[in-house]
Amino acid sequence: MRPILMKGHERPLTFLKYNRDGDLLFSCAKDLSPTVWFADNGERLGTYRGHNGAVWCCDVSRDSMLLITGSADQTAKLWNVQTGAQLFTFNFDSPTRAVDFGVGDKLAVITTDPFMELPSAIHIKRISRDPSEPCFVLLSASLLPAPATPLHLNMSRVAALDSSFPPSDSSLSSSLCNFFFSLISSASIIVSSRANPEGPQGRINRAVWGPLNKTIVSAGEDAVIRIWDSETGKLLKESDKEIGHKKTITSLSKSADGSHFLTGSLDKSAKLWDTRSLSLIKTYVTERPVNAVAMSPLLDHVVLGGGQDASAVTTTDHRAGNFSSGGEDGYVRLHHFDQDYFNIRI
Amino acid sequence: MAEVMAMETASRLGIDLSNVDWDSIHLPPGEDCGILSDDEDLNEGDPLEFDGGFSNIVVVDNIPIVPTEKFEKLEGVVRKISSQMGVIKEEGLWIPIDPASQKTLGYCFVEFNTPQEAELAKEKLHNYKLDRAHIWAVNMFDDIEKFMNVPDEWAPPETKPYVPGENLQHWLTDEKARDQFVIRSGSDTEVLWNDARHLKPDPVYKRQFWTESFVQWSPLGTYLATVHRQGAAVWGGASFNRLMRYSHPQVKLIDFSPGERFLVTYSSHEPSNPRDTHRVVLNIFDVRTGKVMRDFKGSADEFAVGGAVSGVSWPVFRWGGGKEDKYFARIGKSVISVYETDTFTLIDKKSIKVENVMDISWSPTDPILALFVPELGGGNQPARVSLIQIPGKEELRQKNLFSVSDCKMYWQSSGEYLAVKVDRYTKTKKSTYTGFELFRIKERDIPIEVLELENKNDKIIAFAWEPKGHRFAVIHGDGPKPDISFYSMRSTHNSGRVSKLTTLKGKQANALYWSPAGRFILLAGLKGFNGQLEFYNVDELETMATSEHFMATDIEWDPTGRYVATSVTSVHEMENGFNIWSFNGKLLYRILKDHFFQFLWRPRPPSFLSPEKEEEIAKNLKKYSKKYEAEDQDVSLLLSEQDREKRKMLKEEWERWVLEWKRFHEEEKSDRQWLRDGEASDEEEEYEAKEVEVEEFLDVSEEVLFDFGQE
């Protein structure tokens, strides 16, 4: 069956995310506007305008109300999924790469790239929906001095944001009016290669929450998977050099219940790990560099995507067969599985 | 012992072991390049390293002793003579003066730009006759100390106790009669068994940075040679210990003699004066003792083949006379130099003069040299191919050829036949066509037969003799899909004429690979054809299988003719790795390796079985093969059993994980709920699809319509 071709982005795609119900698909690309689509028929619902750089990553809250995006414009932004309104902007001093909501959607992990003199870092932000909730620094322990932006400055920005969002009088978005955002961000830069020579070298391509928001799993250019304590910022576990990936980890995807995750790497393999113990469960070897991985929520299946870098594609003969430039053309392709697929018995 | 010899060799050659800037070389930690070994040699120190960097200085003795007023003149003379040999460094000429007598001391030091120039000066200026009283004695500065250290009294050399060596043919004793191969990928060099029964390779030995450029088996498979900055080394035995080192700085190419008694090493050095040609150094070592048997030095021009062509074509020395390594020959400008290995001198002390000789080729088994001379004098003197018997140098057979543009000689592996591919000009001289001259060496008077293709315009793309056989294959054609023809030197009614067996039309092939045992041939389409493979049985004249190894660059049969390896080396960026096929074209296994450089089967020495015995075995193959078939079956049963076991184990393991995850998930349920502010949970059962209809008023407007009718 031919895929549904969803045209909307003008630059190569960077990230795709379904909401929990599976009816919405969010796409990020190197153009400035993350886009939301109806997952069923590929109809474009709208875009989120406000970023000023390539958008690398996004995540959507469990109730499909909040969208967080990370962009090369050195910000991560929170959006109202339904109206497309920008709710809050987290400012950083280097491009942000990965974003992920924790369980309960009250915490977000954001990674920033090494930039100028700055090393890569993982930030944890608290998102509060209730303005009366006391503002407290969730993560007190920090390896580095407190972030350059003083907390009160954040507060003032929040206030400014509030005033720009008077409670809507539209009856239709009543659910939204109650959704009064007061965003208190408390940050703790928990890792950076400068402060911590054992820490990640180079870019962190992906960081996700572990079970019960207790840990954070990160992976990136140095090919090492690390598990951090999300409260203290302490490094808990590191993947073994021998059994781990040999080249940049490009992609990381959690299972539905978060108990295991899959990593894809330029070393032409993908590996399945247990989130709690970081023990290697399986290795999937392919013939191409792996750029993206996904796990089926229904069956014990994984999907790996990849190929050569666009810059190296010219060296490949057209008959090499399974080479694909997927995503580079800015199209989202929506494939439907045949009914047979769901009846596969091994 | 070897180290001492290597050192002597190096210092005798004056090669600049010390000139290498060791500090600029960064090796990965723990790396030793296989030269500074991790074994017992460590304690002996590295004999290749010298103190100081004086290898480009020579000491000139016996120059005139002059007072200070004549000093400048002397300096001028010495400088003038020395600078003919190379570029003298600034302030590189130093003539010491005796402070007491204010006269020179009768010797001086000359520092050249490169050690090669110093070496040349030593060679050429030694015994230079300045005048009757002053005959120069030129020595390398580095040698002086060595000369000083020569003890005045001769001491008998120590006899070292005999140390039994390893069995160098250990790999031939494999119970399963498997063959080995070596692969090089990335920085790793690996020797592996081809375990075709288990459909995978079985590792033997692996080492990082084993060689600095390439590896090479010796022709009988006894040694594996590695190439390093300081020289070459050979390894062997069950554990691949280093057996010998051959010091030759900056060695580029190596070549074993067919009987693996000798090793030829080659290096070429950049001249310091860019107008000069490269300096070439060739050493011939005895493989077992490591001793230099003969060295050759000269400019690259002297070693260029065929006169007109510039550059050195490897191998410079062609070994002849079969496996006994009795002779080697070198082609020069209108001259063929044949050396014999008993004395390492020219046969009869002189070279064979052949005007304008272009190419030579030894019979693989006999001391017969085939040579080709092109047309001379604008066609007045015909081109010729002749066969010369060594050491007598008598001409066995000669054939004159007219309007020849080029010739190529192909010997059959047992030296029975010689095929000469002749490209001739057509009458208009605008194009060429090809024919073959076939020599039957073993028959009386060496009859020659001419073979021309049916279509004269066909270009010859490839030619190959059946090993040990009487057939040959030719790829010919003019279009994109050439034809392949098979010929036999024997015809059906034994008339002693060549006969065509068959022609396969329109094949995607450009290379021929006969099985070493004959009978089967792999017709391969490399490069433009992207790795098309056709396995063909020439006895039955039928195709056994066709297949493809996409992008394949290299093909090699194992020495027994049972398996074929096709590989994609790093000339391509993708698909690097190798495939192992059975002789009849079944893909056995496939290994992918990034940056794949080399695949080489380990050769085997020739069989001890007599031809009669071999024939007997071939006849009663059924009887012999029964035992192996049973073994094969056992192995395959075992394999499927193991496979089943493995799958079961994997499944159980996976289920264990899933169970554990479920348990954790259940345990954490309440915590998760708390984190979600009490929102139910994540189980699918609680998920309910509700259809909600939302009506949205986009705009409500009222318009009063005028009643025009009233007016």
Side-chain angles (χ1 to χ4, degrees), chain A residues 21 62 103-104 106 172 211-212 257 259-260 268 272 274 276 279 281 287-288 300 308 317 319-320, chain B residues 530 548 550 574-575 592 594 654 657 661 664-665 668 671-672 675-677 679 681 687 695-696:
Chain A
D21 304 322
R62 190 178 147 90
V103 177
K106 289 195 267 317
L172 289 163
L212 299 178
D257 64 354
S259 60
H260 48 293
K268 303 184 183 174
L272 191 69
D274 177 52
R276 291 180 181 86
S279 33
I281 298 168
E287 293 170 27
R288 328 263 137 184
D300 287 337
Q308 275 175 299
D317 190 275
R319 285 191 46 221
Chain B
N530 279 333
E548 185 192 39
F550 185 63
M574 300 293 284
E575 316 283 342
L592 291 168
D594 268 349
W654 176 251
W657 277 112
W661 289 331
F664 272 119
H665 202 65
E668 288 167 358
D671 288 340
R672 210 165 29 242
L675 278 172
R676 284 185 180 143
D677 302 330
E679 192 189 323
S681 102
Y687 176 82
E695 221 171 287
E696 204 170 319

Side-chain angles (χ1 to χ4, degrees), chain A residues 20-322:
Chain A
R20 182 174 128 85
D21 304 322
D23 61 338
L24 297 178
L25 176 66
F26 297 87
S27 64
C28 303
K30 285 185 184 172
D31 55 24
L32 314 179
S33 308
T35 303
V36 60
W37 317 75
F38 269 132
D40 196 40
N41 56 9
E43 189 184 328
R44 183 155 83 151
L45 275 166
T47 54
Y48 300 91
R49 290 182 192 234
H51 273 304
N52 199 21
V55 183
W56 294 119
C57 193
C58 70
D59 196 15
V60 60
S61 66
R62 190 178 147 90
D63 55 7
S64 302
M65 285 295 180
L66 264 183
L67 177 74
I68 185 168
T69 54
S71 161
D73 65 4
Q74 314 201 344
T75 65
K77 286 178 192 288
L78 279 170
W79 311 82
N80 180 325
V81 168
Q82 196 166 356
T83 64
Q86 222 181 97
L87 301 175
F88 189 73
T89 301
F90 300 100
N91 282 297
F92 298 97
D93 296 325
S94 61
T96 61
R97 177 69 50 173
V99 291
D100 192 42
F101 282 126
V103 177
D105 302 320
K106 289 195 267 317
L107 291 167
V109 59
I110 302 170
T111 71
T112 51
D113 287 352
F115 185 64
M116 312 287 274
E117 293 292 290
L118 284 170
S120 57
I122 301 173
H123 310 260
I124 296 173
K125 302 283 179 186
R126 181 170 172 76
I127 300 159
S128 168
R129 295 182 182 189
D130 182 359
S132 62
E133 191 174 309
C135 155
F136 63 93
V137 179
L138 178 80
L139 303 152
S140 51
S142 136
L143 297 179
L144 274 185
T149 332
L151 211 59
H152 62 85
L153 207 140
N154 272 341
M155 286 300 291
S156 65
R157 201 176 291 148
V158 171
L161 182 83
D162 288 349
S163 62
S164 72
F165 268 87
S168 164
D169 53 358
S170 156
S171 58
L172 289 163
S173 51
S174 61
S175 61
L176 260 183
C177 1
N178 306 334
F179 209 76
F180 191 79
F181 287 92
S182 144
L183 298 148
I184 299 152
S185 72
S186 68
S188 164
I189 301 172
I190 62 164
V191 284
S192 82
S193 50
R194 187 166 41 177
N196 188 351
E198 305 287 297
Q201 305 298 310
R203 212 158 67 200
I204 300 167
N205 281 331
R206 199 84 176 92
V208 296
W209 292 93
L212 299 178
N213 297 348
K214 281 185 181 143
T215 56
I216 283 169
V217 184
S218 77
E221 274 182 339
D222 62 358
V224 180
I225 298 164
R226 294 184 174 80
I227 295 186
W228 310 84
D229 187 314
S230 61
E231 283 180 32
T232 62
K234 234 173 76 184
L235 178 63
L236 297 177
K237 285 194 176 69
E238 241 180 343
S239 64
D240 193 78
K241 279 237 161 49
E242 282 299 306
I243 61 164
H245 283 295
K246 301 285 178 287
K247 285 185 184 165
T248 297
I249 297 169
T250 48
S251 168
L252 189 158
S253 161
K254 278 195 290 186
S255 67
D257 64 354
S259 60
H260 48 293
F261 62 92
L262 182 68
T263 54
S265 159
L266 297 183
D267 67 4
K268 303 184 183 174
S269 73
K271 287 173 191 280
L272 191 69
W273 309 80
D274 177 52
T275 316
R276 291 180 181 86
S277 62
L278 196 63
S279 33
L280 179 65
I281 298 168
K282 293 224 179 306
T283 301
Y284 311 95
V285 180
T286 74
E287 293 170 27
R288 328 263 137 184
V290 179
N291 293 337
V293 294
M295 299 180 69
S296 162
L298 301 176
L299 301 174
D300 287 337
H301 288 178
V302 296
V303 185
L304 313 181
Q308 275 175 299
D309 247 4
S311 59
V313 161
T314 47
T315 61
T316 320
D317 190 275
H318 68 282
R319 285 191 46 221
N322 34 358

Side-chain angles (χ1 to χ4, degrees), chain B residues 154-171:
Chain B
W154 180 80
E158 243 178 276
T159 318
K160 282 188 183 163
Y162 170 70
V163 185
E166 271 186 278
N167 178 7
L168 296 183
Q169 294 185 323
H170 181 267
W171 94 100

Side-chain angles (χ1 to χ4, degrees), chain B residues 64-314:
Chain B
I65 297 174
V66 295
T68 33
E69 39 292 4
K70 279 189 168 178
F71 180 82
E72 260 171 47
K73 193 180 173 197
L74 175 71
E75 195 185 0
V77 169
V78 174
R79 186 180 291 278
K80 192 176 158 200
I81 295 165
S82 308
S83 59
Q84 287 167 357
M85 297 301 125
V87 180
I88 301 175
K89 268 196 180 169
E90 220 171 292
E91 302 193 9
L93 176 60
W94 171 241
I95 307 175
I97 293 167
D98 186 354
S101 62
Q102 286 299 308
K103 280 183 177 174
T104 59
L105 288 163
Y107 58 85
C108 69
F109 303 92
V110 186
E111 186 175 2
F112 288 97
N113 248 349
T114 66
Q116 283 78 33
E117 287 167 339
E119 178 72 16
L120 187 72
K122 182 196 135 185
E123 242 173 76
K124 298 270 159 101
L125 295 182
H126 190 61
N127 290 334
Y128 179 83
K129 227 170 165 181
L130 192 63
D131 56 46
R132 193 168 300 169
H134 298 101
I135 298 169
W136 287 12
V138 183
N139 282 297
M140 302 300 292
F141 184 84
D142 279 340
D143 287 348
I144 298 293
E145 199 175 339
K146 199 179 86 191
F147 296 147
M148 302 288 284
N149 286 342
V150 173
D152 293 336
E153 295 229 355
W154 180 80
E158 243 178 276
T159 318
K160 282 188 183 163
Y162 170 70
V163 185
E166 271 186 278
N167 178 7
L168 296 183
Q169 294 185 323
H170 181 267
W171 94 100
L172 293 172
T173 61
D174 182 47
E175 272 183 15
K176 296 173 217 155
R178 298 172 298 180
D179 275 293
Q180 284 188 350
F181 56 85
V182 64
I183 54 168
R184 220 154 53 70
S185 62
S187 54
D188 293 344
T189 304
E190 266 180 277
V191 179
L192 303 144
W193 290 111
N194 168 32
D195 206 335
R197 261 188 194 150
H198 295 99
L199 304 178
K200 62 178 182 3
D202 186 12
V204 179
Y205 185 81
K206 178 174 178 173
R207 190 163 173 159
Q208 275 207 315
F209 305 103
W210 201 358
T211 178
E212 281 171 61
S213 51
F214 60 92
V215 292
Q216 189 172 325
W217 293 106
S218 61
L220 306 181
T222 315
Y223 312 104
L224 181 71
T226 55
V227 179
H228 308 270
R229 201 176 291 114
Q230 303 94 322
V234 294
W235 313 72
S239 50
F240 282 93
N241 282 325
R242 192 178 57 230
L243 304 170
M244 189 53 68
R245 291 194 293 211
Y246 311 96
S247 167
H248 188 147
Q250 267 101 54
V251 60
K252 293 243 164 51
L253 297 164
I254 59 170
D255 182 37
F256 280 97
S257 66
E260 52 182 46
R261 279 175 63 197
F262 304 105
L263 176 74
V264 187
T265 57
Y266 164 89
S267 67
S268 100
H269 301 271
E270 195 92 26
S272 58
N273 183 344
R275 276 166 302 170
D276 293 346
T277 51
H278 283 233
R279 295 261 307 151
V280 168
V281 180
L282 283 147
N283 287 323
I284 303 180
F285 294 92
D286 185 307
V287 169
R288 270 185 286 186
T289 62
K291 211 166 132 184
V292 180
M293 304 308 288
R294 172 95 200 237
D295 56 358
F296 296 86
K297 283 174 219 167
S299 72
D301 284 353
E302 291 171 48
F303 290 90
V305 179
V309 198
S310 69
V312 176
S313 84
W314 188 253

